[in-house]
Amino acid sequence: TAKFAEEHMSLDPAQQTLSLAVKRREDFGVVNHQKEEFTFRFTGSVLHNASQESVYTTVGEEAVSAAVDGYNATVMAYGQTGAGKTYSMTG
């Protein structure tokens, strides 16, 4: 939901990073090595009106090439339900 995004996500376009904050689980006891913040660096972003070709060229082409070469690669799609994330990812 939008409230989750406001409370748990922060986007820093200047540093090209997205940070996700998660609440530490209290039931893990006193010694709790759970990570509370995850930061991801991104290399591109695409607006809602982008074509399939521009989505692939901007964020997919390099990731697919890296994966074929044996590297880990991630393309993350974030947005409102029904906005077309799955369609954008699968064509």
Side-chain angles (χ1 to χ4, degrees), residues 12-59:
D12 184 347
Q15 296 295 318
Q16 292 187 308
T17 59
L18 171 70
S19 295
L20 301 174
V22 293
K23 190 173 182 180
R24 198 175 274 227
R25 286 183 52 181
E26 300 296 327
D27 61 336
F28 277 27
V30 178
V31 178
N32 187 341
H33 298 293
Q34 264 189 306
K35 195 169 182 178
E36 293 183 66
E37 185 170 305
F38 300 85
T39 300
F40 303 92
R41 186 171 181 88
F42 59 91
T43 56
S45 60
V46 178
L47 296 177
H48 68 283
N49 59 351
S51 69
Q52 287 293 97
E53 185 177 353
S54 69
V55 170
Y56 178 74
T57 302
T58 303
V59 295

Side-chain angles (χ1 to χ4, degrees), residues 18 40-46 54-67 71-78 85-86 88-90:
L18 171 70
F40 303 92
R41 186 171 181 88
F42 59 91
T43 56
S45 60
V46 178
S54 69
V55 170
Y56 178 74
T57 302
T58 303
V59 295
E61 191 170 31
E62 188 176 340
V64 169
S65 179
Y71 294 95
N72 290 330
T74 301
V75 176
M76 184 176 96
Y78 173 80
K85 299 174 299 293
T86 302
S88 293
M89 297 296 278
T90 62

